[in-house]
Amino acid sequence: MEVYLDNNATTAVDPAVYEQMKPFFCDIFGNPNSLHRFGAGTHPKMMEALDYLYSGINADDEDDIVITGNATESINTVIKGIWIDKILNADKNHIIVSEVEHPAVTATCKFLESQGVSVTYLPVNEEGIVDVQSVKQYLREDTALVSIMWANNETGKIFPIEEIGQICKEAGVLFHSDATQAIGKIPVDVQKANVDFISFSAHKFHGPKGVGGLYIKKGNKLTPLLHGGEQMGGKRAGTVDVASMVGMGFAMKLAVEALEYEATEVKRLRDKLESAILELPETVVIGGVNNRTPNTTLISIRGVEGESMLWDLNQKGIGASTGSACASEDLEANPVMNAFGSDSELAHTGVRFSLSRFNTEEQIDYAIEAIIGAVKRLRNLSSSYAYAPESHKSGL
Ligand SMILES: Cc1ncc(COP(=O)(O)O)c(C=O)c1O
């Protein structure tokens, strides 16, 4: 059996999304900016896609949603755009982010630091989220932007976006949230959350890879990252990938319709998997079980190197992760776990299982059996676990 439990890395395209995309490769192939019928033929479905995107995040008609290449591009557009507009061309010089942001945020901030920008990396508490009060505490006169993720890719922890949005609004500071891991898993309402910008990628919610979105609240101006043609109202030059845009729109519609299923059935399967693993001694959910996206669990299994576990599971047809897919080829301890202050062994023993609406009960039962078998085998081989006090081992 093959069981894919790495949906925070990417998801399968929903077959219904693929059907929507197909005509835009060989049949309706015109450039949307051309005036003839071939170009104009793309417009109805592009407009429909935009409608799905607007309603999916509850954007106002006057807000903007810019189609980008992925969340990374959206995030770079916001952070570098603010850098140009508010830091280089105004008197601000400070950005606040959390220390558990995706590298799309942190690496961009490191680059800005190399250009003289001051960046505060807010620590997370034992629950894995930033304290709302710490945002307030670190705001400065010259703060140009606060960027805090909506949900964490490793732990699934949901951040208090509405409260942070309120603080930023009161302070008159722009607020961006990386909603890449929130869309399709929990409701995302940009108006309720008081955000100025959000970023997302279609492939995280059963849409195609290579297309993302950038929400810009009305009234906010942003220097674009890509200059060129007048596509996207000049906010992102380059001919838009029509098939992908149509796919992303439809994927958003389906994801929003499936939110209830996500909150009940996907969560039930995640909880079943998690409880079975937690019955093993010396296992812990990193950051605890409260306030998480319904599909994710990051579990530390003492004595079991995360990479070895992945290898064992891969042999049995199961795909999971030790952390963000972008980081999984190096064997550095998971940075999110380090941020929690976990001890170094725990930090190397985290395995992330992330489900989707396409996982079945049968798959989860199979995965549970395989995981328990792998833990037994690897703990028997583990010198550090073998020498741990007897009380730690109780039977395994
Ligand atoms: C929270 C978060 N932000 C941003 C990204 C980057 O997404 P993409 O690689 O599609 O640009 C990811 C991908 O894992 C993510 O999980």
Side-chain angles (χ1 to χ4, degrees):
M1 186 183 281
E2 291 209 323
V3 187
Y4 184 70
L5 297 175
D6 199 13
N7 287 279
N8 285 8
T10 196
T11 58
V13 173
D14 189 311
V17 168
Y18 180 48
E19 283 305 316
Q20 293 284 319
M21 295 173 66
K22 270 185 192 165
F24 295 93
F25 292 98
C26 301
D27 299 330
I28 314 173
F29 59 83
N31 187 321
N33 288 75
S34 301
L35 295 178
H36 46 63
R37 59 172 58 229
F38 301 95
T42 61
H43 293 181
K45 278 288 187 182
M46 288 173 80
M47 293 312 291
E48 186 183 273
L50 275 182
D51 281 348
Y52 291 142
L53 294 175
Y54 272 77
S55 65
I57 59 172
N58 193 28
D60 185 276
D61 283 350
E62 290 173 49
D63 298 337
D64 260 317
I65 294 182
V66 177
I67 308 301
T68 63
N70 47 39
T72 301
E73 183 192 323
S74 304
I75 291 165
N76 270 264
T77 305
V78 173
I79 298 180
K80 291 179 181 157
I82 301 286
W83 174 47
I84 294 165
D85 298 336
K86 304 273 178 207
I87 295 179
L88 294 179
N89 291 324
D91 52 355
K92 312 239 170 190
N93 193 41
H94 180 229
I95 292 176
I96 298 178
V97 300
S98 86
E99 64 176 358
V100 294
E101 297 296 311
H102 187 273
V105 170
T106 48
T108 308
C109 286
K110 294 278 173 212
F111 166 71
L112 293 198
E113 279 185 294
S114 76
Q115 304 300 305
V117 177
S118 165
V119 181
T120 299
Y121 298 87
L122 293 179
V124 292
N125 59 23
E126 65 288 348
E127 287 265 305
I129 52 175
V130 292
D131 282 324
V132 175
Q133 287 313 316
S134 72
V135 178
K136 212 171 196 166
Q137 184 188 334
Y138 285 97
L139 278 175
R140 303 191 330 209
E141 277 292 300
D142 66 341
T143 306
L145 176 72
V146 171
S147 181
I148 305 283
M149 66 201 328
W150 206 299
N152 184 265
N153 40 306
E154 316 285 6
T155 58
K157 285 289 175 162
I158 301 168
F159 285 68
I161 294 304
E162 279 177 39
E163 288 95 320
I164 297 171
Q166 190 57 35
I167 288 172
C168 293
K169 191 176 167 189
E170 282 162 17
V173 171
L174 292 170
F175 178 38
H176 165 248
S177 183
D178 172 6
T180 310
Q181 293 290 347
I183 289 188
K185 296 177 181 127
I186 51 171
V188 168
D189 182 330
V190 288
Q191 298 194 57
K192 214 164 142 199
N194 285 310
V195 284
D196 292 290
F197 312 98
I198 70 164
S199 298
F200 54 91
S201 257
H203 71 100
K204 305 285 187 182
F205 52 96
H206 301 290
K209 292 170 187 57
V211 62
L214 167 57
Y215 160 82
I216 306 176
K217 189 184 181 150
K218 62 174 172 272
N220 284 316
K221 300 240 175 312
L222 209 54
T223 292
L225 197 61
L226 301 182
H227 293 91
E230 274 303 301
Q231 293 92 349
M232 295 288 140
K235 295 186 180 73
R236 197 265 190 180
T239 305
V240 69
D241 179 342
V242 179
S244 293
M245 175 176 172
V246 169
M248 177 162 69
F250 204 71
M252 175 71 91
K253 168 184 148 63
L254 297 183
V256 170
E257 285 168 3
L259 279 177
E260 182 59 31
Y261 185 85
E262 194 83 18
T264 51
E265 194 55 15
V266 175
K267 178 178 183 302
R268 187 182 70 76
L269 291 178
R270 188 275 312 269
D271 289 349
K272 180 176 185 179
L273 176 74
E274 184 174 87
S275 327
I277 302 172
L278 290 179
E279 278 179 23
L280 303 172
E282 295 284 302
T283 49
V284 63
V285 175
I286 304 294
V289 298
N290 297 327
N291 285 327
R292 287 179 301 165
T293 46
N295 76 318
T296 307
T297 179
L298 176 63
I299 304 192
S300 187
I301 305 169
R302 193 176 284 281
V304 177
E305 192 72 34
E307 301 291 328
S308 313
M309 181 75 173
L310 289 196
W311 176 256
D312 253 45
L313 294 182
N314 188 41
Q315 297 294 95
K316 296 195 167 69
I318 299 169
S321 163
T322 51
S324 158
C326 336
S328 61
E329 275 184 13
D330 61 54
L331 294 182
E332 290 279 298
N334 184 322
V336 170
M337 307 233 288
N338 284 339
F340 280 61
S342 307
D343 67 60
S344 77
E345 199 204 335
L346 277 190
H348 279 96
T349 56
V351 181
R352 180 187 71 186
F353 300 100
S354 48
L355 285 68
S356 82
R357 61 178 187 258
F358 292 114
N359 287 122
T360 63
E361 187 103 41
E362 202 191 359
Q363 289 180 342
I364 296 305
D365 289 339
Y366 173 79
I368 289 172
E369 210 183 306
I371 293 164
I372 292 176
V375 172
K376 281 187 179 158
R377 199 183 79 76
L378 294 166
R379 278 185 169 171
N380 277 338
L381 295 176
S382 158
S383 53
S384 64
Y385 195 72
Y387 294 117
E390 275 313 304
S391 60
H392 281 180
K393 292 193 268 174
S394 49
L396 261 185

